[in-house]
Amino acid sequence: MTREVPVVRGVPEASVERLPGYLRTLTVLQEQGTTLVSSEELAAAAGVGSAMLRKDLSHLGSTGVRGVGYDVERLASLLAESLGLTRDWPVAIVGMGKLGRALAAHAGLAARGLRVVALLDRDPAVVGEVVAGQVVRPMSDLPRLEGLAIGVIATPAGSAQDAADALIEAGVGSILNLAPAVLSVPEDVVVRSVDLASELQVLAFHEWRKATSVVLPLEVS
Amino acid sequence: MTREVPVVRGVPEASVERLPGYLRTLTVLQEQGTTLVSSEELAAAAGVGSAMLRKDLSHLGSTGVRGVGYDVERLASLLAESLGLTRDWPVAIVGMGKLGRALAAHAGLAARGLRVVALLDRDPAVVGEVVAGQVVRPMSDLPRLEGLAIGVIATPAGSAQDAADALIEAGVGSILNLAPAVLSVPEDVVVRSVDLASELQVLAFHEWRKATSVVLPLEVS
DNA sequence: CACTGTGAATACCTTCACAGCA
DNA sequence: TGCTGTGAAGGTATTCACAGTG
């Protein structure tokens, strides 16, 4: 996973990356009927330290009550608004392989303001198929789509740059790149890359490290 | 009391996360017939700065030649060995939804030493199905699997902790968690979480920020 | 009085810049 | 000469610890 985001105004990137997790955790608490939560409790549920949580929230203009904690609903609203959940973000997915289809079928994107408005593929054999209730379109349809905000690249590595170029041409401002390739894009376009094979390789590295390092017996005192 | 588990390979985590990308880039160069590469060129192709690349490689006991550059094949070998590619890492995938199936079918895992040895699902209706050439097994088969190294959780959030517990019980030392949930695991188990919906939400945040911050036209004097 | 919000301290990561070597 | 390897500098991110407050 990589990121290339110029930290511009306000919230540090590392902090931004944790916000969706906080919102998720709050939603669970809400469903459980919890109405008030301390930073300690929320942090534990979100898997982070409480000081970090408080600092993260402070960037959003936090709204806790000293001596008491946070109002769950209020905090959830703050996070939702900060993340842009109040708006709809039209998403186009390029590449209808297994991964692209999995994402297209992903329930819960819509609930978070992420509206998948187009599925595209370069392969004429795939175009016209119905995936997750939508007809797969040819790449040539891209320029016709209005108001696109986010593009997802789920193509093979070799087509990733072409897909990126086409998405940007169509007006996309952010790209989630699932292909194992480095994209070159204008600097005002935000790219996040996720490569599952690389994630597994990082884990393999850790297993390898564990296997080759814990040879010496531990000393107990 | 003890602490001090032998710390051997001092490769910083941030560095480890970039190694698979370097290897990927080198493989492409190799296929193109390139035999020698400078840090500047390789860094550009991998989308990082050249100083960072050199520092990353230095942690592995780098093997460049001053005034010349790196031997592509030699460097690829170094990276492959460092990442544990010389060994096979048995992987089990839990959860045969769309995402789990996509990963199971992922070509190129095997080429990187990641051998998917088992597909599992809790749902009896899915057990027995053939996915990517393998029969889906019930969770109760997990304890029977020998030598598992890495587990992938591709279940709904509600089942993720159960899946993690079962995988760890079966001897897994590292987990790739694709479910939107926080896992609690023993501290010697390495967990990496990837949530595609959260990734998209981070992008939505950036779009939102761009839309709300660049309202005032810049004044140039 | 328990908890938040935050300055200060620390740890970590990246970039700079150049010494040193083929 | 041209490039690597790396100490030092500069940034970010995280943690500590406590003052401030409902």
Side-chain angles (χ1 to χ4, degrees):
Chain A
M1 198 192 72
T2 66
R3 61 173 182 279
E4 350 168 335
V5 179
V7 173
V8 182
R9 201 200 55 172
V11 194
E13 181 65 12
S15 187
V16 173
E17 291 178 359
R18 287 185 291 266
L19 300 183
Y22 299 154
L23 180 52
R24 207 173 64 201
T25 307
L26 282 168
T27 306
V28 173
L29 290 176
Q30 232 170 348
E31 283 165 3
Q32 289 173 0
T34 309
T35 155
L36 196 68
V37 72
S38 71
S39 67
E40 200 69 52
E41 294 164 335
L42 180 54
V48 302
S50 66
M52 196 164 75
L53 169 66
R54 292 199 299 275
K55 184 144 285 187
D56 284 343
L57 295 181
S58 78
H59 293 123
L60 308 179
S62 181
T63 172
V65 180
R66 288 166 198 256
V68 179
Y70 299 87
D71 181 273
V72 171
E73 191 164 350
R74 199 168 147 78
L75 187 52
S77 297
L78 174 64
L79 277 160
E81 186 175 343
S82 301
L83 284 168
L85 258 172
T86 43
R87 250 160 105 137
D88 252 24
W89 301 104
V91 175
I93 306 177
V94 179
M96 284 296 113
K98 291 247 169 49
L99 191 50
R101 287 164 198 251
L103 240 191
H106 191 302
L109 289 190
R112 307 188 205 190
L114 301 161
R115 194 155 44 90
V116 178
V117 298
L119 309 178
L120 306 113
D121 202 290
R122 208 179 57 170
D123 183 352
V126 175
V127 171
E129 262 186 60
V130 175
V131 171
Q134 292 196 49
V135 178
V136 177
R137 306 167 169 226
M139 292 299 285
S140 56
D141 270 20
L142 254 185
R144 220 165 299 154
L145 297 166
E146 300 266 308
L148 282 185
I150 299 172
V152 179
I153 298 177
T155 66
S159 316
Q161 184 65 55
D162 286 348
D165 294 342
L167 284 167
I168 291 164
E169 184 66 30
V172 153
S174 293
I175 291 177
L176 176 57
N177 176 34
L178 303 177
V182 176
L183 301 179
S184 90
V185 302
E187 69 172 29
D188 61 326
V189 174
V190 179
V191 175
R192 295 180 64 83
S193 289
V194 174
D195 177 16
L196 296 178
S198 291
E199 294 294 329
L200 285 170
Q201 257 180 285
V202 171
L203 293 178
F205 173 89
H206 285 295
E207 288 300 297
W208 179 231
R209 187 179 47 66
K210 283 192 256 180
T212 53
S213 72
V214 190
V215 183
L216 304 174
L218 298 182
E219 197 171 305
V220 184
S221 55
Chain B
M1 299 294 292
T2 72
R3 55 200 70 242
E4 219 21 64
V5 180
V7 176
V8 171
R9 297 223 201 177
V11 190
E13 181 66 12
S15 187
V16 173
E17 293 178 359
R18 287 185 292 264
L19 300 184
Y22 298 154
L23 180 52
R24 207 173 63 201
T25 307
L26 281 168
T27 306
V28 173
L29 289 176
Q30 232 169 348
E31 284 165 3
Q32 290 173 358
T34 309
T35 155
L36 196 68
V37 72
S38 71
S39 67
E40 200 68 52
E41 295 163 334
L42 179 54
V48 302
S50 66
M52 196 164 74
L53 169 67
R54 290 199 301 277
K55 184 143 286 187
D56 284 343
L57 295 181
S58 78
H59 293 123
L60 309 179
S62 181
T63 170
V65 180
R66 288 166 199 255
V68 179
Y70 299 87
D71 182 273
V72 171
E73 190 164 351
R74 199 167 147 80
L75 187 51
S77 298
L78 175 63
L79 276 160
E81 186 176 342
S82 302
L83 284 168
L85 259 172
T86 43
R87 250 161 106 137
D88 253 24
W89 301 103
V91 175
I93 304 177
V94 179
M96 283 297 112
K98 292 248 168 48
L99 191 50
R101 286 164 200 250
L103 240 191
H106 192 302
L109 289 190
R112 307 188 204 190
L114 301 160
R115 194 156 44 91
V116 178
V117 297
L119 308 178
L120 306 114
D121 202 290
R122 208 178 58 169
D123 183 352
V126 175
V127 170
E129 263 186 60
V130 175
V131 171
Q134 292 196 49
V135 177
V136 178
R137 307 169 170 223
M139 293 299 285
S140 55
D141 269 20
L142 255 185
R144 220 165 298 154
L145 297 166
E146 302 265 307
L148 282 185
I150 298 173
V152 179
I153 298 177
T155 67
S159 316
Q161 185 63 56
D162 286 349
D165 294 342
L167 284 166
I168 291 164
E169 185 64 31
V172 153
S174 293
I175 291 177
L176 176 58
N177 175 35
L178 303 177
V182 176
L183 301 178
S184 90
V185 302
E187 69 173 30
D188 61 326
V189 174
V190 179
V191 175
R192 292 181 66 83
S193 288
V194 174
D195 176 17
L196 296 178
S198 291
E199 294 294 329
L200 285 170
Q201 257 181 285
V202 171
L203 293 179
F205 173 89
H206 285 294
E207 288 301 297
W208 179 231
R209 186 179 50 66
K210 283 192 255 179
T212 54
S213 71
V214 191
V215 181
L216 304 174
L218 296 184
E219 199 168 304
V220 183
S221 51

